[in-house]
Amino acid sequence: MAINRHSLATMVSAENTLRDYRIVEGIYLLGSLSRGLTVFDQQVRAHNLAWALWRVLEAEKQDADPIRIAVVGGGIAGLTLTACLLARSSAFVVTQFEERWDLCPLQQGSDTRWLHPHIYRWPKQGSRAPDAGLPVLNWTEGRASDVSREVLEGFGNYAHQYGEGRLALYLGMNHLRIGAADRTIEWMGRKGCRRGAYIQSGEPHGDRCGFDVVILATGFGLEKGAQEAEGSNSYWRNDRLGQPQLSGSRATYLVSGFGDGALVDLCRLTVERFRQDTILYELFGHELEIFEDELRGHLGEDFGRSAQNVYDIMQCKLSPASQELMRAARQNLLQRLRKDTIVILHASGRDGTNTSLRDLFDPHSSVLNRTLLYLLYQCGGFVLSLGELDDAVREYAVRDDKVVKRYGADTLQAVKRLFSDPDIVSARLDDMKANAGQIAERRWPLGAFPHISTVA
Ligand SMILES: Cc1cc2nc3c(=O)[nH]c(=O)nc-3n(C[C@H](O)[C@H](O)[C@H](O)COP(=O)(O)OP(=O)(O)OC[C@H]3O[C@@H](n4cnc5c(N)ncnc54)[C@H](O)[C@@H]3O)c2cc1C
């Protein structure tokens, strides 16, 4: 009886998960329109979806035919999903499509970006832990380029151990359209041939096939403005913002935006030797945990993305002890301000929605970055501009190559464009964006995915 109740509960949980991810019957979206879009969050969603598919499809399955699954997108989330599916059930046969010429193309070679699995959940307990702690394609904090190597190695191992005859890869797609009505995909690209963690490009190949399940793991797309420059100013491309100027003069930069991407670049341009993983220890020292304890009390449940205005917390709610810690952190930060840059933060928002500095502390970014922004503001570390971008560029005489735009991507339109019959999916996608479901919390039971240790 107890066993039945347990399995009923897990089945309900799996069905609820599938409902959150479902666009239409048999077609699912991995994350793209949700809130909390870190690499780790996306991997948690990938585990959840793989587990739920296995749980529900296994129960429904009445024959020995394989279950044909298409995964569109070969970024970290898509790779995690495929590895989970292959490891979870030999009934799953996966075809994975990646439009670029290699897997995980965004983070590969990205030496100037730091990736930490949990830091955007700060000050949640455990958010400074460097290990992702995932059963499949686990990684530890590091440069994005190193993390992508670790993930790709892991993917090679899973593909080797579980993918033989069950994984087909296509790269360099120049066409891909999904039919929502009949779960078909038509495509033109290159057949990929895996050699360990590397994929070689084979003959051009075009086809149209039906699948039992189609999963969109296409991420968030390139940021607005990055497309025109062929992605050269996209967040994951290497830059020199964190390096001291070699010329004798100070350089004026303008960062436009107020999400995490913009605030990270603001920190790199204003704080000497800035590193996302060490900055909190460096500013708060041994008292960090005391400060975190209090902050959690003010933030409510969803710590890292708390809906609370962080400016209000810092200004009005901190205890005298925490105010003292903030004062000390500010003193430490003052010693670290860069001497070689002048930085304008242009943060008016679309249509001038932000009319005061306080507006930037609403939940547009992580609590970590809002806290750093507050400290920088107290140190006079940047100049704030809430006017028109062109006016700010003119007023501060910022050179074109010193304007950093971080505006996020138009993900909704990008997802709709994937369908040959967008009318069928449009309303549901609008709803997914509005409700931002798919909470990135573990739903799979511990032990649901096998670990592997072999090397391909
Ligand atoms: C400005 C910015 C800053 C960020 N900062 C951080 C950070 O500091 N820390 C963090 O953890 N995360 C950060 N993220 C989020 C991070 O980029 C994603 O979580 C991560 O890339 C994993 O997501 P993914 O695999 O879902 O998507 P992606 O990495 O975007 O992968 C999607 C893949 O799908 C492919 N694809 C797209 N369309 C098609 C198609 N039609 N056919 C075939 N393939 C297709 C793409 O080429 C890509 O390889 C940031 C994102 C942005 C935009």
Side-chain angles (χ1 to χ4, degrees):
M1 189 64 183
I3 291 171
N4 283 345
R5 257 206 314 272
H6 175 70
S7 61
L8 186 66
T10 58
M11 181 57 87
V12 169
S13 168
E15 281 170 349
N16 287 342
T17 302
L18 291 194
R19 195 194 53 220
D20 290 348
Y21 289 66
R22 186 179 296 122
I23 304 174
V24 291
E25 194 56 41
I27 303 185
Y28 301 91
L29 180 66
L30 186 60
S32 305
L33 299 173
S34 305
R35 264 193 290 274
L37 300 173
T38 66
V39 167
F40 175 79
D41 287 347
Q42 284 290 82
Q43 287 185 288
V44 170
R45 293 187 179 104
H47 282 72
N48 281 340
L49 180 56
W51 171 75
L53 280 170
W54 167 73
R55 196 73 186 76
V56 171
L57 295 184
E58 187 201 56
E60 288 173 355
K61 196 165 159 49
Q62 299 191 341
D63 54 36
D65 292 345
I67 297 168
R68 295 158 308 151
I69 301 183
V71 176
V72 181
I76 295 180
L79 297 180
T80 307
L81 177 70
T82 295
C84 286
L85 290 167
L86 293 175
R88 187 51 266 185
S89 169
S90 57
F92 292 145
V93 171
V94 180
T95 305
Q96 186 145 28
F97 301 94
E98 167 51 52
E99 77 175 337
R100 301 199 168 95
W101 288 97
D102 202 356
L103 301 174
C104 198
L106 293 192
Q107 289 86 9
Q108 267 200 63
S110 181
D111 297 324
T112 53
R113 295 292 177 192
W114 197 260
L115 264 180
H116 189 290
H118 316 287
I119 202 70
Y120 279 159
R121 295 181 173 211
W122 185 81
K124 187 175 178 179
Q125 255 159 357
S127 58
R128 287 183 276 117
D131 191 274
L134 290 164
V136 177
L137 303 195
N138 191 37
W139 53 282
T140 48
E141 64 154 329
R143 293 179 305 176
S145 54
D146 291 331
V147 171
S148 65
R149 278 177 67 93
E150 200 175 343
V151 167
L152 285 164
E153 282 292 322
F155 182 73
N157 290 342
Y158 271 89
H160 175 72
Q161 184 148 334
Y162 297 106
E164 222 47 63
R166 295 204 286 130
L167 172 64
L169 287 164
Y170 292 92
L171 302 170
M173 318 293 306
N174 53 40
H175 171 74
L176 185 143
R177 279 289 175 283
I178 301 165
D182 54 4
R183 288 198 295 274
T184 51
I185 298 187
E186 61 172 36
W187 75 90
M188 278 188 289
R190 300 270 178 154
K191 182 112 176 73
C193 183
R194 194 184 60 80
R195 298 268 179 274
Y198 294 88
I199 317 293
Q200 288 167 2
S201 164
E203 291 296 307
H205 185 100
D207 209 341
R208 179 188 172 93
C209 283
F211 292 90
D212 300 309
V213 175
V214 173
I215 299 162
L216 275 62
T218 47
F220 320 110
L222 277 190
E223 306 100 281
K224 288 170 212 142
Q227 287 96 332
E228 296 100 71
E230 293 183 338
S232 62
N233 49 14
S234 165
Y235 183 81
W236 297 107
R237 302 291 97 185
N238 289 321
D239 62 43
R240 289 171 300 190
L241 301 183
Q243 293 192 289
Q245 307 296 316
L246 293 183
S247 69
S249 52
R250 293 177 88 187
T252 304
Y253 282 88
L254 182 145
V255 177
S256 185
F258 50 100
D260 282 316
L263 298 186
V264 167
D265 282 341
L266 176 73
C267 289
R268 294 168 69 223
L269 281 164
T270 52
V271 182
E272 282 177 353
R273 294 169 237 175
F274 174 77
R275 274 245 317 244
Q276 209 178 39
D277 59 327
T278 55
I279 189 72
L280 288 169
Y281 300 100
E282 290 160 1
L283 297 183
F284 289 90
H286 296 307
E287 315 288 4
L288 179 56
E289 281 181 27
I290 297 170
F291 183 68
E292 290 174 338
D293 275 346
E294 176 168 345
L295 203 49
R296 278 195 289 274
H298 295 302
L299 289 169
E301 265 301 286
D302 189 9
F303 302 118
R305 288 265 152 200
S306 172
Q308 304 292 321
N309 184 292
V310 169
Y311 185 92
D312 293 345
I313 293 175
M314 300 295 171
Q315 286 275 329
C316 315
K317 298 190 182 160
L318 292 184
S319 66
S322 285
Q323 284 177 27
E324 192 46 48
L325 293 178
M326 280 296 281
R327 255 193 299 278
R330 175 178 170 273
Q331 279 308 116
N332 289 335
L333 187 57
L334 270 172
Q335 316 297 319
R336 298 274 301 271
L337 288 186
R338 277 178 69 168
K339 301 168 279 289
D340 60 338
T341 55
I342 298 164
V343 185
I344 324 300
L345 177 63
H346 172 258
S348 58
R350 205 176 300 151
D351 309 323
T353 39
N354 295 330
T355 54
S356 77
L357 178 80
R358 181 184 170 278
D359 293 343
L360 310 188
F361 294 85
D362 283 333
H364 309 292
S365 64
S366 60
V367 167
L368 170 73
N369 284 331
R370 281 182 274 169
T371 304
L372 293 172
L373 179 68
Y374 185 81
L375 284 166
L376 275 173
Y377 149 66
Q378 287 206 311
C379 292
F382 60 92
V383 177
L384 181 66
S385 163
L386 294 175
E388 294 290 325
L389 177 63
D390 289 346
D391 293 343
V393 168
R394 245 190 326 272
E395 183 181 349
Y396 297 100
V398 190
R399 279 176 22 190
D400 277 358
D401 63 334
K402 303 271 189 268
V403 176
V404 181
K405 295 180 191 167
R406 296 275 167 248
Y407 295 156
D410 193 351
T411 311
L412 182 61
Q413 291 313 319
V415 174
K416 287 183 181 177
R417 276 197 298 273
L418 287 169
F419 289 89
S420 53
D421 40 11
D423 291 351
I424 296 180
V425 295
S426 205
R428 170 62 179 145
L429 290 172
D430 291 341
D431 177 59
M432 283 174 125
K433 178 157 174 64
N435 292 316
Q438 301 188 9
I439 307 296
E441 299 295 345
R442 180 178 67 80
R443 287 195 178 169
W444 68 91
L446 292 175
F449 296 100
H451 284 278
I452 54 165
S453 52
T454 52
V455 177

